Amino acid sequence: MKNIKYYIYPTISFCVFFALIAILAANLIVKFATISLLNEKIEQGQQQVKNLQSLLAQNQTKIIEQQNRTAIQRAIQNTGNQSLYLSIIDWSGAIVCHPDVTKIGSKSDQKASIVSRFENSISGKDLYTFLNTELSNNYSNVFYSLPIKESDWIVAVHLNKEILNEQTNDLKTKITLSFLIIGLVLLLFILIIIRWISGIYDNQLLKVNSKIEDDLKKLNISLQNYQENISEFAKASQKDISTSTPINSTKEHEKKRILTYSRNELRPVNVEDIAYIFVDNTITYLIQKNGQKSTSQETLDGIYAHLNDKLFFRVNRQIIVCIYAISKIIKYDNNKLKIETSPSSEIDIIIGKNKASAFKQWLDI
């Protein structure tokens, strides 16, 4: 990966966003799935009770009753590990048939049944809300019952809370795993898209950088040519004073010297000896071609107003540079230029993108 930041930030953002969505969605899905499961169990349990009631709803002699008891006990034997199981109790509360044979003959749980909690028929949503409260511990797990006609038996269906919790936890695990797989697939897809987009971006950036490099080469060539032309014009003007040269400034009252201070000594500096001028902490500094440094009481604006604008360029509010001091022009940040000087500048000489065009025109004069 050429640029790791293309992948880290989107990956972290996606993982955080997807995790929040997954947590909220998973809880809702588990809730609705559990309610749907409870509705199914309620319907299934009620149907089982009605079928057994219908089967036993006839005159029962003691012999038939004993036969039915044996058949029912054989049918429900060891069904206590299922989410639903049936039992039969008599009106006295004694257990007649139960998946756990050790409970036969004992008194059933005296707690009120779940169904007694609700005035109307119980629904999966009501049961889900009820089971998620501590109050549910005060009720037995019987959620539906019917008496058998002409008998003292009552058919009851039990909801095995432990098995139901196991099924719910298994459902949570499957949903979590599904979200994890979906998240990984989406993340892989996003990374592929990022790689594709970043590839296009890198190619475009490469083209832009190539163009910038070409422009910089042309700019440095223009700089070299301009410096050579000015040098030739300067030599020609020395031989023939009457010759009109392009280096004549368009400004009136052009300065030839600037009054400066160096070690408490007041002395003039020839403009032609200046490499660059800059301001730092409201103090104006003049750097000469030989590297000598001095200060001036004049402002940068006041000095630039009387300098030859074909030899000096106002790079920004902080610095003025002479054409002869520029040794190289390089790329800096986005659409900015950096000037290297001789002697080296104490501060970075940066040309902003808004002034880069004016600088290029200045070199092409």
Side-chain angles (χ1 to χ4, degrees):
M1 298 182 182
K2 294 181 179 180
N3 200 332
I4 195 68
K5 70 179 180 181
Y6 292 159
Y7 302 90
I8 290 180
Y9 299 138
T11 299
I12 293 176
S13 301
F14 171 79
C15 289
V16 172
F17 177 76
F18 187 81
L20 293 175
I21 296 299
I23 291 172
L24 295 175
N27 289 333
L28 288 175
I29 292 174
V30 169
K31 177 181 178 180
F32 291 131
T34 304
I35 291 175
S36 177
L37 177 64
L38 289 173
N39 279 324
E40 180 182 340
K41 295 300 181 183
I42 290 171
E43 184 178 349
Q44 181 182 349
Q46 290 175 344
Q47 189 62 43
Q48 289 179 2
V49 170
K50 290 177 182 178
N51 289 342
L52 185 56
Q53 183 207 37
S54 176
L55 182 65
L56 299 176
Q58 54 181 310
N59 292 327
Q60 297 191 68
T61 65
K62 289 186 177 181
I63 297 176
I64 295 175
E65 184 177 294
Q66 183 61 37
Q67 290 175 348
N68 287 338
R69 178 184 302 179
T70 303
I72 293 170
Q73 181 61 39
R74 189 184 303 116
I76 66 175
Q77 188 84 13
N78 299 323
T79 59
N81 59 352
Q82 298 178 4
S83 57
L84 298 178
Y85 62 89
L86 297 173
S87 70
I88 295 179
I89 58 176
D90 60 22
W91 286 105
S92 66
I95 298 176
V96 178
C97 295
H98 194 280
D100 185 359
V101 294
T102 60
K103 294 185 177 181
I104 296 176
S106 62
K107 290 291 184 178
S108 64
D109 193 347
Q110 296 302 312
K111 294 180 181 179
S113 62
I114 294 175
V115 72
S116 65
R117 173 71 180 174
F118 304 94
E119 296 180 359
N120 301 318
S121 60
I122 190 171
S123 67
K125 184 177 180 180
D126 295 334
L127 187 56
Y128 174 84
T129 303
F130 178 69
L131 291 176
N132 282 280
T133 63
E134 294 183 358
L135 189 63
S136 63
N137 295 326
N138 299 326
Y139 290 78
S140 71
N141 56 3
V142 175
F143 71 89
Y144 188 68
S145 62
L146 284 176
I148 298 175
K149 295 179 180 180
E150 300 181 6
S151 171
D152 64 348
W153 286 1
I154 299 174
V155 181
V157 60
H158 301 251
L159 181 67
N160 194 326
K161 297 178 184 178
E162 290 77 13
I163 299 299
L164 181 64
N165 287 333
E166 290 179 6
Q167 293 177 344
T168 303
N169 291 332
D170 182 59
L171 184 62
K172 289 181 180 178
T173 301
K174 290 179 179 179
I175 291 174
T176 302
L177 184 61
S178 298
F179 271 102
L180 181 61
I181 294 173
I182 293 172
L184 291 175
V185 171
L186 288 177
L187 180 59
L188 180 61
F189 177 74
I190 289 174
L191 291 177
I192 292 174
I193 295 298
I194 291 174
R195 186 172 181 83
W196 176 66
I197 294 175
S198 64
I200 296 176
Y201 174 77
D202 287 338
N203 289 334
Q204 293 296 326
L205 188 62
L206 184 61
K207 292 179 181 179
V208 171
N209 287 337
S210 298
K211 186 178 182 302
I212 292 174
E213 291 296 331
D214 291 339
D215 290 342
L216 286 175
K217 288 180 181 178
K218 294 177 181 178
L219 203 56
N220 281 288
I221 291 173
S222 296
L223 170 64
Q224 185 177 359
N225 293 336
Y226 190 33
Q227 289 173 337
E228 291 176 355
N229 290 338
I230 289 180
S231 297
E232 291 176 1
F233 287 133
K235 291 178 183 179
S237 63
Q238 290 177 358
K239 293 180 180 180
D240 188 359
I241 299 178
S242 63
T243 302
S244 177
T245 66
I247 61 172
N248 290 337
S249 176
T250 58
K251 298 178 181 178
E252 296 181 358
H253 308 295
E254 179 185 336
K255 284 191 175 186
K256 300 298 182 181
R257 287 171 296 277
I258 299 176
L259 196 62
T260 66
Y261 295 86
S262 180
R263 297 179 183 177
N264 298 323
E265 180 183 348
L266 183 64
R267 62 185 183 86
V269 174
N270 292 328
V271 171
E272 61 185 19
D273 294 330
I274 297 175
Y276 55 90
I277 309 168
F278 70 95
V279 173
D280 188 21
N281 293 326
T282 69
I283 300 175
T284 303
Y285 294 93
L286 282 79
I287 308 299
Q288 300 181 49
K289 295 177 182 178
N290 59 8
Q292 190 171 352
K293 183 178 180 180
S294 56
T295 63
S296 174
Q297 291 185 340
E298 294 189 55
T299 64
L300 208 63
D301 290 335
I303 293 174
Y304 187 64
H306 301 288
L307 290 178
N308 190 324
D309 53 12
K310 291 183 171 57
L311 297 178
F312 292 90
F313 183 79
R314 179 76 177 269
V315 175
N316 49 47
R317 295 180 179 179
Q318 191 180 7
I319 191 164
I320 299 170
V321 67
C322 178
I323 185 67
Y324 294 115
I326 301 175
S327 59
K328 191 176 182 181
I329 303 168
I330 61 176
K331 176 189 173 185
Y332 183 84
D333 204 6
N334 294 326
N335 299 323
K336 296 181 182 179
L337 300 175
K338 183 177 180 180
I339 294 177
E340 293 184 356
T341 59
S342 178
S344 298
S345 173
E346 298 180 13
I347 61 175
D348 289 336
I349 304 177
I350 308 300
I351 302 177
K353 60 181 180 180
N354 294 330
K355 205 153 188 177
S357 178
F359 179 69
K360 293 176 184 178
Q361 291 179 2
W362 179 67
L363 290 180
D364 290 334
I365 294 177

Short mmCIF file of all heavy atoms in Angstrom, two decimals, residues 93-118:
data_model
loop_
_atom_site.label_atom_id
_atom_site.label_comp_id
_atom_site.label_asym_id
_atom_site.label_seq_id
_atom_site.Cartn_x
_atom_site.Cartn_y
_atom_site.Cartn_z
N GLY A 93 -53.66 -30.69 43.25
CA GLY A 93 -52.31 -30.18 43.03
C GLY A 93 -51.27 -31.27 42.95
O GLY A 93 -50.07 -30.98 42.78
N ALA A 94 -51.68 -32.52 43.06
CA ALA A 94 -50.73 -33.63 42.98
C ALA A 94 -50.37 -33.88 41.52
O ALA A 94 -51.23 -33.80 40.63
CB ALA A 94 -51.31 -34.88 43.61
N ILE A 95 -49.12 -34.19 41.27
CA ILE A 95 -48.65 -34.46 39.91
C ILE A 95 -49.00 -35.89 39.54
O ILE A 95 -48.63 -36.85 40.23
CB ILE A 95 -47.13 -34.23 39.80
CG1 ILE A 95 -46.79 -32.76 40.11
CG2 ILE A 95 -46.63 -34.62 38.42
CD1 ILE A 95 -45.30 -32.47 40.12
N VAL A 96 -49.76 -36.02 38.44
CA VAL A 96 -50.18 -37.33 37.96
C VAL A 96 -49.17 -37.88 36.95
O VAL A 96 -48.75 -39.04 37.04
CB VAL A 96 -51.58 -37.25 37.32
CG1 VAL A 96 -52.02 -38.60 36.75
CG2 VAL A 96 -52.60 -36.74 38.35
N CYS A 97 -48.79 -37.05 35.97
CA CYS A 97 -47.80 -37.44 34.96
C CYS A 97 -46.80 -36.30 34.80
O CYS A 97 -47.19 -35.11 34.79
CB CYS A 97 -48.45 -37.73 33.62
SG CYS A 97 -49.57 -39.15 33.63
N HIS A 98 -45.51 -36.66 34.67
CA HIS A 98 -44.48 -35.63 34.54
C HIS A 98 -43.26 -36.27 33.87
O HIS A 98 -42.97 -37.46 34.08
CB HIS A 98 -44.09 -35.08 35.92
CG HIS A 98 -43.31 -33.81 35.86
ND1 HIS A 98 -41.96 -33.78 35.60
CD2 HIS A 98 -43.71 -32.52 36.02
CE1 HIS A 98 -41.55 -32.52 35.61
NE2 HIS A 98 -42.59 -31.73 35.86
N PRO A 99 -42.52 -35.51 33.03
CA PRO A 99 -41.32 -36.09 32.40
C PRO A 99 -40.33 -36.63 33.42
O PRO A 99 -39.61 -37.61 33.14
CB PRO A 99 -40.72 -34.90 31.64
CG PRO A 99 -41.89 -34.01 31.37
CD PRO A 99 -42.79 -34.15 32.55
N ASP A 100 -40.27 -36.03 34.60
CA ASP A 100 -39.40 -36.51 35.67
C ASP A 100 -40.24 -37.39 36.59
O ASP A 100 -41.06 -36.89 37.38
CB ASP A 100 -38.82 -35.32 36.43
CG ASP A 100 -37.81 -35.73 37.49
OD1 ASP A 100 -37.58 -36.96 37.65
OD2 ASP A 100 -37.26 -34.84 38.15
N VAL A 101 -40.08 -38.71 36.51
CA VAL A 101 -40.93 -39.66 37.25
C VAL A 101 -40.80 -39.48 38.76
O VAL A 101 -41.69 -39.90 39.52
CB VAL A 101 -40.56 -41.11 36.85
CG1 VAL A 101 -40.92 -41.37 35.40
CG2 VAL A 101 -39.09 -41.39 37.11
N THR A 102 -39.71 -38.91 39.21
CA THR A 102 -39.52 -38.72 40.67
C THR A 102 -40.50 -37.71 41.24
O THR A 102 -40.68 -37.63 42.44
CB THR A 102 -38.08 -38.27 40.97
OG1 THR A 102 -37.83 -37.02 40.31
CG2 THR A 102 -37.07 -39.31 40.47
N LYS A 103 -41.10 -36.89 40.38
CA LYS A 103 -42.04 -35.87 40.85
C LYS A 103 -43.48 -36.36 40.88
O LYS A 103 -44.36 -35.66 41.37
CB LYS A 103 -41.94 -34.62 39.97
CG LYS A 103 -40.60 -33.90 40.08
CD LYS A 103 -40.62 -32.62 39.27
CE LYS A 103 -39.31 -31.86 39.45
NZ LYS A 103 -39.29 -30.58 38.70
N ILE A 104 -43.72 -37.56 40.32
CA ILE A 104 -45.09 -38.08 40.29
C ILE A 104 -45.56 -38.35 41.72
O ILE A 104 -44.85 -38.97 42.52
CB ILE A 104 -45.17 -39.36 39.44
CG1 ILE A 104 -44.82 -39.03 37.99
CG2 ILE A 104 -46.55 -40.00 39.53
CD1 ILE A 104 -44.77 -40.25 37.08
N GLY A 105 -46.76 -37.89 42.03
CA GLY A 105 -47.33 -38.05 43.36
C GLY A 105 -47.05 -36.90 44.28
O GLY A 105 -47.74 -36.72 45.29
N SER A 106 -46.01 -36.09 43.96
CA SER A 106 -45.71 -34.94 44.81
C SER A 106 -46.60 -33.77 44.42
O SER A 106 -47.24 -33.76 43.37
CB SER A 106 -44.24 -34.56 44.70
OG SER A 106 -43.95 -34.18 43.36
N LYS A 107 -46.61 -32.77 45.29
CA LYS A 107 -47.38 -31.58 45.02
C LYS A 107 -46.67 -30.73 43.96
O LYS A 107 -45.44 -30.58 43.99
CB LYS A 107 -47.58 -30.76 46.27
CG LYS A 107 -48.51 -31.40 47.29
CD LYS A 107 -49.95 -31.43 46.78
CE LYS A 107 -50.90 -31.99 47.85
NZ LYS A 107 -52.30 -31.99 47.38
N SER A 108 -47.44 -30.18 43.04
CA SER A 108 -46.86 -29.31 42.01
C SER A 108 -46.45 -27.98 42.62
O SER A 108 -46.85 -27.64 43.74
CB SER A 108 -47.87 -29.07 40.88
OG SER A 108 -49.00 -28.37 41.38
N ASP A 109 -45.67 -27.23 41.89
CA ASP A 109 -45.22 -25.91 42.35
C ASP A 109 -46.42 -25.04 42.66
O ASP A 109 -47.31 -24.87 41.81
CB ASP A 109 -44.36 -25.27 41.26
CG ASP A 109 -43.61 -24.05 41.78
OD1 ASP A 109 -43.95 -23.58 42.88
OD2 ASP A 109 -42.70 -23.59 41.08
N GLN A 110 -46.48 -24.51 43.85
CA GLN A 110 -47.63 -23.72 44.26
C GLN A 110 -47.62 -22.30 43.71
O GLN A 110 -48.54 -21.53 43.94
CB GLN A 110 -47.69 -23.68 45.80
CG GLN A 110 -47.92 -25.03 46.44
CD GLN A 110 -49.19 -25.69 45.95
OE1 GLN A 110 -50.25 -25.07 45.92
NE2 GLN A 110 -49.10 -26.97 45.58
N LYS A 111 -46.55 -21.96 43.02
CA LYS A 111 -46.49 -20.62 42.43
C LYS A 111 -47.58 -20.47 41.37
O LYS A 111 -47.98 -21.44 40.73
CB LYS A 111 -45.13 -20.37 41.77
CG LYS A 111 -43.96 -20.33 42.74
CD LYS A 111 -42.68 -20.10 41.97
CE LYS A 111 -41.48 -20.06 42.90
NZ LYS A 111 -40.21 -19.87 42.13
N ALA A 112 -48.02 -19.27 41.17
CA ALA A 112 -49.02 -19.01 40.12
C ALA A 112 -48.39 -19.25 38.76
O ALA A 112 -47.20 -19.02 38.55
CB ALA A 112 -49.51 -17.57 40.22
N SER A 113 -49.19 -19.73 37.82
CA SER A 113 -48.67 -19.97 36.48
C SER A 113 -48.51 -18.66 35.73
O SER A 113 -49.12 -17.65 36.08
CB SER A 113 -49.62 -20.89 35.71
OG SER A 113 -50.87 -20.26 35.55
N ILE A 114 -47.67 -18.70 34.69
CA ILE A 114 -47.42 -17.50 33.90
C ILE A 114 -48.70 -16.96 33.29
O ILE A 114 -48.94 -15.75 33.26
CB ILE A 114 -46.39 -17.81 32.79
CG1 ILE A 114 -45.03 -18.14 33.41
CG2 ILE A 114 -46.24 -16.62 31.84
CD1 ILE A 114 -43.98 -18.57 32.39
N VAL A 115 -49.55 -17.86 32.81
CA VAL A 115 -50.76 -17.43 32.11
C VAL A 115 -51.70 -16.66 33.04
O VAL A 115 -52.48 -15.81 32.60
CB VAL A 115 -51.48 -18.65 31.48
CG1 VAL A 115 -52.14 -19.51 32.55
CG2 VAL A 115 -52.51 -18.18 30.46
N SER A 116 -51.59 -16.94 34.34
CA SER A 116 -52.46 -16.22 35.29
C SER A 116 -52.07 -14.75 35.40
O SER A 116 -52.82 -13.94 35.95
CB SER A 116 -52.39 -16.88 36.67
OG SER A 116 -51.10 -16.75 37.22
N ARG A 117 -50.89 -14.43 34.93
CA ARG A 117 -50.41 -13.05 34.98
C ARG A 117 -51.17 -12.17 33.99
O ARG A 117 -51.26 -10.96 34.17
CB ARG A 117 -48.91 -13.04 34.65
CG ARG A 117 -48.28 -11.67 34.50
CD ARG A 117 -48.17 -10.96 35.81
NE ARG A 117 -47.56 -9.64 35.64
CZ ARG A 117 -47.44 -8.74 36.59
NH1 ARG A 117 -47.87 -9.00 37.81
NH2 ARG A 117 -46.88 -7.57 36.36
N PHE A 118 -51.73 -12.79 32.94
CA PHE A 118 -52.37 -12.03 31.86
C PHE A 118 -53.86 -12.31 31.83
O PHE A 118 -54.30 -13.46 31.94
CB PHE A 118 -51.74 -12.40 30.52
CG PHE A 118 -50.24 -12.20 30.49
CD1 PHE A 118 -49.39 -13.25 30.78
CD2 PHE A 118 -49.70 -10.97 30.20
CE1 PHE A 118 -48.02 -13.08 30.78
CE2 PHE A 118 -48.33 -10.78 30.20
CZ PHE A 118 -47.48 -11.84 30.49
#
